[in-house]
Amino acid sequence: LRAKLDQIPALKEAEATTKVPKEFLVLAACALLLVLLFFGIGAGALCSIVGFVYPAYKSFEAIESKNRGDDTQWLIYWVVY
């Protein structure tokens, strides 16, 4: 786990700043996310991110690529959504 976390520069900075191991920072963030979702806090924002922001990002990415298959996939997504 530590080897994977060493590849993320933001975690290196957070560990150096807080003097808390990366593993604990990731576990605390996951626990906080689970608690917030369990109590319904932020559920609307999560739905917006999963249902709109991510597809919008992937759609722009697909438009910029040369592949036509991904354009069709995301166009179908937006027509159905």
Side-chain angles (χ1 to χ4, degrees), residues 55 57-78:
Y57 170 76
K58 295 303 278 185
S59 296
F60 284 116
E61 199 174 73
I63 291 169
E64 296 296 323
S65 74
K66 302 270 187 233
N67 186 2
R68 288 286 183 212
D70 56 357
D71 294 354
T72 305
Q73 173 191 351
W74 288 108
L75 181 60
I76 291 170
Y77 173 83
W78 289 111

Side-chain angles (χ1 to χ4, degrees), residues 20-76:
V20 176
K22 294 174 200 158
E23 294 87 353
F24 293 140
L25 293 173
V26 170
L27 287 174
C30 289
L32 178 65
L33 179 65
L34 286 174
V35 167
L36 290 176
L37 290 177
F38 180 76
F39 289 110
I41 302 168
L46 181 65
C47 287
S48 295
I49 289 170
V50 172
F52 181 77
V53 175
Y54 175 74
Y57 170 76
K58 295 303 278 185
S59 296
F60 284 116
E61 199 174 73
I63 291 169
E64 296 296 323
S65 74
K66 302 270 187 233
N67 186 2
R68 288 286 183 212
D70 56 357
D71 294 354
T72 305
Q73 173 191 351
W74 288 108
L75 181 60
I76 291 170

